């Protein structure tokens, strides 16, 4: 359970400013309302204070203050979690979004990045050297949450998850100490950080392995009229399950600007241009006979441009709700469910998202990191998107009903970064056999469950 709201006085919270180089925003300050906002407009929480940290020392001071005054806290970086776990009512928000330093070493192909960086900022810095690593698919998401939960992206099937490319992390633990976690130092903590979310401390800096890639990425995009969607989805599924690691094939049920429903997918290639052209053409030859697309485009565009392509679909400050499943396959019966239920979406902005995983991700043992869902091939979830609070119940019910109808086809697992406030059983489903080890690790590094406003792993008894 979350800890009780703070009993610290306004004077106490104001005193925190004296210990930080960054700013402390209180409810009576100008800008407080803006400081409370996160990606999902459904979230309306009122913290007692927001501490904008600019260094690991600031984070340590804020953690120490919260301990001393028994203040509940949440941690915010990108602020993109659908449940708004990063803000808390009447507690302290430790915000690391201003910690944006990044250094790239092109010789060693590594990067050291502050926890406040967003995906677009990270990609821009690494692409200056034609280097990249897996992270995510929306440029306004934070690298911290992405990495700590796993981190999908277009490079994942070739190079693994963001957490698979993590070399080391600087972490402020629940007792207010700054430690380094790597394969050589605090190796158990390093294991837990790679998929275990924010349960074990506040990461202030990440070190990543980078891969030669860029500046261009080859891509094919196809969209199908809804009357042809069933055949197109079957062809997509057959291709995606057998696709080479170099191709990531994400898909969606969505609507065009004129409200026409479509099934659309893209084939993004991670490899040399000549190989990309050959692989994509072979893929299209296998897919084309199934149905005629409304639109087919083959391009080579800057990687940073392709990474930002879906930003307009998921803009901040709209209302969002989703629930996710991992799938090992998309059967004909599952396709029927998806098409039938998507057609009934109450909002024209809503989507059904299908993210393509597997490949290199699946070749890492499930117990090598906290991230356990190595056998998944697809991450599938209905994303309800709307604007009017009066429509909350209708849109949430649609997403929940679609999710429930897809339950028989699920692997039983879920991506922790897609979890809302769904209870301990769903957290356990995310970690599967790794959960007991994570609970034991929590007992070691956070026995009081100080970091509880997250996809929480309670300390083992």
């Amino acid at each position: 359970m979350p800890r009780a709201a703070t009993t610290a006085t306004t004077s106490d919270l104001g005193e925190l400013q004296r210990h930080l180089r960054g700013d402390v925003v209180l409810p009576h300050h100008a800008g407080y309302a803006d400081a409370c906002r996160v990606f999902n407009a459904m979230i309306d929480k009122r913290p007692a204070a927001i501490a904008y940290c600019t260094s690991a020392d600031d984070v340590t001071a804020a953690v120490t203050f919260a301990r001393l005054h028994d203040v509940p806290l949440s941690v915010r970086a990108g602020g993109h979690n659908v449940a708004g776990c990063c803000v808390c009512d009447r507690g302290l928000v430790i915000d690391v979004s201003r910690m944006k330093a990044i250094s790239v070493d092109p010789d060693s192909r590594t990067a050291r990045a502050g926890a406040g960086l967003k995906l677009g900022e990270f990609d821009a810095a690494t692409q200056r050297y034609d280097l990249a690593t897996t992270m995510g698919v929306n440029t306004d998401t934070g690298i911290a949450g992405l990495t700590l939960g796993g981190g999908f992206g277009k490079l994942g099937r070739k190079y693994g998850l963001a957490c698979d490319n993590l070399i080391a992390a600087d972490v402020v633990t629940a007792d207010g100490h700054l430690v380094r976690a790597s394969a050589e130092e605090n190796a158990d903590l390093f294991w837990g950080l790679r998929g275990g979310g924010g349960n074990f401390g506040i990461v202030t800096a990440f070190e990543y392995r980078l891969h030669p890639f860029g500046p261009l990425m080859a891509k094919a995009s196809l969209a199908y009229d809804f009357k042809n969607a069933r055949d197109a989805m079957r062809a997509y599924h057959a291709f995606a399950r057998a696709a080479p690691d170099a191709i990531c094939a994400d898909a969606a049920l969505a609507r065009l600007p004129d409200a026409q429903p479509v099934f659309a997918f893209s084939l993004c290639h991670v490899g040399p241009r000549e190989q990309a052209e050959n692989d994509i053409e072979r893929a299209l030859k296998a897919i084309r006979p199934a149905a005629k697309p409304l639109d087919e485009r083959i391009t080579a565009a800057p990687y940073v441009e392709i990474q930002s392509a879906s930003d307009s679909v998921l803009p901040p400050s709209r209302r969002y709700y989703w629930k996710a499943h991992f799938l090992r396959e998309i059967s004909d019966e599952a396709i029927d469910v998806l098409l039938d239920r998507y057609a009934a979406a109450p909002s024209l902005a809503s989507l059904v998202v299908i993210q393509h995983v597997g490949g290199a991700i699946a070749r890492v043992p499930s117990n090598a990191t906290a991230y356990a869902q190595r056998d998944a091939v697809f991450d599938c979830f209905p994303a309800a998107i709307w604007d009017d609070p009066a429509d909350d119940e209708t849109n949430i019910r649609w997403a929940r009903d679609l999710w429930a109808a897809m339950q028989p086809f699920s692997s039983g697992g879920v991506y922790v970064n897609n979890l809302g406030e769904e209870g301990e059983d769903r957290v356990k489903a995310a970690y599967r056999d790794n959960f007991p080890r994570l609970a034991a690790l929590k007992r070691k590094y956070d026995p009081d469950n100080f970091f509880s406003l997250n996809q929480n792993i309670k300390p083992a008894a």
Side-chain angles (χ1 to χ4, degrees):
M1 293 288 292
R3 291 158 56 237
T6 180
T7 57
T9 66
T10 300
S11 176
D12 291 332
L13 292 163
E15 176 67 10
L16 176 60
Q17 179 67 79
R18 195 169 66 83
H19 301 283
L20 265 63
R21 293 182 63 186
D23 300 321
V24 177
V25 178
L26 302 178
H28 64 277
H29 288 167
Y32 173 79
D34 286 341
C36 293
R37 290 195 184 97
V38 290
F39 162 76
N40 187 356
M42 283 191 70
I43 308 306
D44 183 19
K45 297 179 183 178
R46 291 294 179 262
I50 300 163
Y52 284 100
C53 298
T54 61
S55 66
D57 287 343
D58 276 3
V59 174
T60 298
V63 168
T64 301
F65 173 90
R67 275 286 194 195
L68 180 64
H69 293 276
D70 194 28
V71 176
L73 63 81
S74 61
V75 183
R76 181 170 67 186
H80 217 275
N81 174 260
V82 71
C85 294
C86 57
V87 285
C88 56
D89 281 318
R90 295 181 293 166
L92 173 65
V93 175
I94 297 181
D95 186 297
V96 299
S97 64
R98 297 181 181 178
M99 298 173 63
K100 293 184 180 291
I102 181 169
S103 59
V104 179
D105 185 337
D107 295 326
S108 65
R109 295 177 181 169
T110 59
R112 179 177 172 85
L117 278 168
K118 293 189 175 182
L119 170 61
E121 296 165 332
F122 181 88
D123 284 341
T126 60
Q127 279 290 281
R128 293 190 188 104
Y129 304 94
D130 293 342
L131 296 171
T133 202
T134 318
M135 196 68 70
V137 294
N138 292 98
T139 62
D140 64 344
T141 46
I143 68 167
L146 289 169
T147 303
L148 294 174
F152 295 169
K154 294 175 176 65
L155 309 185
R157 288 175 44 79
K158 180 74 171 179
Y159 295 123
L161 300 168
C163 70
D164 296 332
N165 289 283
L166 186 65
I167 299 169
D170 295 346
V171 190
V172 176
T173 55
D175 58 7
H177 289 98
L178 177 65
V179 302
R180 179 177 170 85
S182 69
E184 294 77 31
E185 302 173 76
N186 300 299
D188 57 347
L189 177 59
F190 185 57
W191 178 87
L193 293 175
R194 288 176 291 161
N199 278 283
F200 306 107
I202 302 175
V203 175
T204 59
F206 299 87
E207 295 177 21
Y208 296 99
R209 181 182 305 106
L210 305 177
H211 305 276
F213 184 73
L216 298 179
M217 171 176 260
K219 176 183 179 182
S221 302
L222 298 94
Y224 293 85
D225 187 279
F226 214 64
K227 67 184 180 183
N228 295 323
R230 179 173 286 100
D231 290 338
M233 291 182 76
R234 292 181 69 186
Y236 162 80
H237 171 248
F239 167 75
R241 280 181 54 83
D245 291 358
I247 289 183
C248 174
D250 290 340
L253 291 166
R255 290 182 182 268
L256 298 178
D258 65 0
Q260 180 180 3
V262 296
F263 172 66
F265 64 91
S266 62
L267 309 177
C268 291
H269 195 282
V270 184
R273 183 161 184 174
E274 182 177 340
Q275 179 189 346
E277 291 173 353
N278 291 336
D279 285 354
I280 287 176
E281 186 55 38
R282 279 197 297 270
L284 293 177
K285 283 182 178 178
I287 293 168
R288 282 185 184 119
K292 183 178 180 179
L294 289 170
D295 185 56
E296 178 184 308
R297 300 182 187 185
I298 304 173
T299 61
Y303 174 63
V304 292
E305 180 181 307
I306 290 175
Q307 283 283 78
S308 67
S310 60
D311 289 358
S312 61
V313 179
L314 298 170
S317 300
R318 301 196 76 176
R319 302 177 83 79
Y320 292 92
Y321 182 88
W322 57 65
K323 292 190 72 168
H325 289 297
F326 274 124
L327 310 175
R328 298 188 185 97
E329 64 176 3
I330 308 174
S331 66
D332 289 352
E333 293 80 5
I335 289 172
D336 288 342
V337 168
L338 291 172
L339 292 173
D340 179 65
R341 297 303 180 107
Y342 178 69
S347 169
L348 297 179
S350 293
L351 314 164
V352 172
V353 178
I354 301 172
Q355 289 185 279
H356 189 202
V357 286
I361 298 167
R363 289 192 288 276
V364 176
S366 62
N367 63 356
T369 66
Y371 181 91
Q373 305 290 337
R374 300 290 178 173
D375 60 349
V377 182
F378 305 99
D379 180 35
C380 178
F381 59 99
I385 308 170
W386 71 103
D387 295 303
D388 188 342
D391 297 330
D392 285 1
E393 182 180 351
T394 300
N395 284 278
I396 291 170
R397 184 170 61 249
W398 169 78
R400 287 176 174 168
D401 288 349
L402 194 156
W403 178 87
M406 284 295 293
Q407 181 73 8
F409 312 107
S410 168
S411 70
V414 59
Y415 181 33
V416 70
N417 279 350
N418 279 337
L419 279 176
E421 293 181 347
E422 300 179 43
E424 186 177 33
D425 285 346
R426 289 279 281 163
V427 176
K428 289 181 177 178
Y431 294 116
R432 295 176 14 180
D433 292 345
N434 288 342
F435 187 83
R437 181 175 173 183
L438 286 162
L441 194 67
K442 181 77 168 179
R443 180 177 59 198
K444 176 179 177 180
Y445 284 97
D446 186 14
D448 301 324
N449 205 11
F450 187 60
F451 299 115
S452 63
L453 296 179
N454 46 40
Q455 302 307 332
N456 194 233
I457 298 167
K458 294 182 175 63

